[in-house]
């Protein structure tokens, strides 16, 4: 992980969950939610330190075992009414002093079990290069939304009910997933909330944008995890075969002979076959970390050089 500029990842994980008791220690694919969040943050190349803010002894033990540093949250910031911002402010105060203050705060929620480290790096890069002051994870949506009025009637929210365009004729809207947020620390401290200055999105697949709040969310994530992680392992194997073949072709061209690099049967099998779910590496995120860009058709923020180019203040 890099040393400058400093990026601090904070994962708030209190012990007193009501909807799912002990939620942050519940498991998806054999790993607790808090451990999955810690490992995703540690795998992001831009992150310098990972903090878990908690009031629970068991969560603290799990966080340390996963590789994080623990900040013990006081009782006054651990209740049902405590905001995420208060926990983030407390964590910053606990670890940041003077010249040692981080430049970017990366806020992850353990209730999102399929965070891709590459997406974390994309969010941090947007803040560091001046493109945005705050970046959040969002999934594309073409849903027609309605709300119920006081008299019980249904009112269209994001569309004209008299016109029903085809899906392909509608520009997507984006649903905040809650998985992660990157924000400039100075701006966050001044505003005391995470949506400051110019706000941008990192678009993530709707298929992995699960926020565990109810028992059925946990069941869904547990059912999806083997499928998502097997696919990621297969993609990694295919990339290994491609890289080996490319290296062999270059070596052969340079020597005027056949490619010297042998593609092993094991590597070829990884590229050609989907591994069994029980053999998939549990640390592999839902998508390959080598992917650095979301599909151009869904990313509303093409690469920019600076905040000035964005029209940011």
């Amino acid at each position: 992980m890099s040393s400058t500029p400093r990026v601090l990842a904070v994962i708030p994980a209190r012990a007193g969950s009501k909807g799912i008791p002990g939620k942050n220690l519940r498991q998806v694919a054999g790993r607790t939610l808090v451990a999955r969040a810690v490992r995703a943050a540690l795998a992001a190349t831009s992150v310098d330190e990972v903090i878990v803010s908690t009031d629970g002894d068991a969560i603290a033990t799990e966080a340390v075992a996963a590789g994080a540093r623990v900040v013990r949250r006081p009782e006054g910031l651990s209740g049902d009414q405590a905001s995420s911002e208060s926990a983030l402010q407390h964590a910053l105060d606990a670890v940041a002093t003077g010249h040692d203050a981080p430049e970017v705060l990366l806020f992850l929620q353990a209730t999102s079990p399929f965070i891709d480290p590459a997406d974390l790096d994309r969010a941090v890069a947007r803040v560091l290069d001046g493109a945005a002051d705050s970046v959040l994870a969002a999934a594309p949506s073409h849903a027609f939304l309605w709300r119920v009025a006081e008299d019980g009637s249904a009112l269209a929210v994001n569309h004209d009910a008299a016109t029903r365009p085809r899906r392909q004729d509608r520009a997507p809207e984006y649903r905040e997933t809650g998985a992660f947020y990157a924000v400039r620390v100075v701006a966050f401290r001044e505003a005391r909330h995470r949506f400051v200055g110019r706000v941008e999105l990192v678009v993530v697949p709707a298929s992995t944008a699960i926020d565990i709040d109810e028992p059925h969310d946990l069941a869904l994530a547990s059912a999806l995890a083997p499928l998502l992680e097997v696919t990621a392992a297969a993609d990694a194997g295919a990339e290994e075969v491609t890289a080996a073949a490319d290296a062999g072709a270059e070596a052969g061209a340079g020597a005027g002979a056949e490619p010297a690099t042998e593609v092993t049967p094991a590597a070829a099998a990884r590229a050609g076959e989907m591994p069994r779910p029980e053999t998939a590496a549990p640390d592999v995120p839902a998508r390959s970390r080598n992917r650095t860009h979301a599909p151009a058709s869904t990313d509303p923020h093409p690469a920019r050089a600076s905040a000035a180019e964005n029209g940011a203040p």
Side-chain angles (χ1 to χ4, degrees):
M1 291 184 285
S2 62
S3 58
T4 55
R6 189 158 179 247
V7 176
L8 178 70
V10 178
I11 305 166
R14 65 187 185 91
S17 173
K18 293 294 196 303
I20 304 177
K23 176 170 61 176
N24 288 308
L25 291 176
R26 299 296 289 270
Q27 294 190 356
V28 170
R31 179 160 291 119
T32 64
L33 293 177
V34 69
R36 293 179 75 94
V38 169
R39 287 174 179 264
L42 288 172
T45 59
S46 57
V47 172
D48 296 302
E49 187 172 13
V50 180
I51 299 290
V52 170
S53 167
T54 187
D55 60 328
D57 293 339
I59 292 175
T61 299
E62 180 74 357
V64 170
R69 174 182 169 187
V70 170
V71 168
R72 300 307 297 247
R73 202 187 313 181
E75 183 178 350
L77 299 179
S78 302
D80 292 340
Q81 303 303 315
S83 67
S84 297
E85 274 77 3
S86 65
L88 297 173
Q89 290 276 5
H90 176 261
L92 283 173
D93 291 340
V95 303
T97 57
H99 67 279
D100 201 30
E103 184 175 348
V104 176
L105 170 66
L106 182 61
F107 164 32
L108 291 78
Q109 299 208 83
T111 49
S112 295
F114 302 121
I115 297 175
D116 188 337
D119 287 334
L120 300 179
D121 285 329
R122 291 169 59 210
V124 169
R126 295 256 182 95
V127 177
L128 289 178
D129 68 15
D133 300 294
S134 177
V135 179
L136 64 140
S141 170
H142 289 84
F144 291 106
L145 300 181
W146 296 77
R147 65 179 177 85
V148 178
E150 291 183 4
D151 65 358
S153 63
L155 300 176
V157 174
N158 65 339
H159 65 285
D160 180 356
T163 304
R164 184 50 60 103
R166 299 178 305 168
R167 184 183 188 277
Q168 58 267 38
D169 294 330
R170 299 179 66 213
E173 296 177 312
Y174 296 91
R175 173 177 63 85
E176 182 180 341
T177 71
F180 60 84
Y181 307 80
V183 59
R184 198 177 310 281
V185 169
V186 171
F188 173 75
R189 283 192 175 279
E190 290 177 352
R192 304 189 72 81
H193 66 84
R194 74 196 87 160
F195 305 106
V196 296
R198 179 181 175 87
V199 180
E200 291 196 356
L201 309 177
V202 164
V203 178
V204 301
S207 59
T208 63
I210 298 175
D211 179 40
I212 295 177
D213 194 47
E214 301 291 341
H216 69 266
D217 299 322
L218 187 63
L220 177 60
S222 297
L224 280 176
L227 302 176
L228 295 171
E229 290 168 352
V230 163
T231 300
D235 289 345
E239 289 171 0
E240 181 181 335
V241 171
T242 301
D246 289 346
E250 290 177 3
E258 293 296 318
T261 301
E262 178 183 359
V263 179
T264 66
R270 283 197 298 274
E273 285 185 33
M274 292 288 283
R276 294 171 57 85
E278 61 268 24
T279 63
D283 288 347
V284 179
R287 288 172 288 153
S288 169
R289 284 199 56 229
N290 292 329
R291 183 196 51 72
T292 57
H293 300 286
S297 60
T298 62
D299 193 338
H301 306 297
R304 305 174 181 85
S306 67
E309 189 175 337
N310 283 322

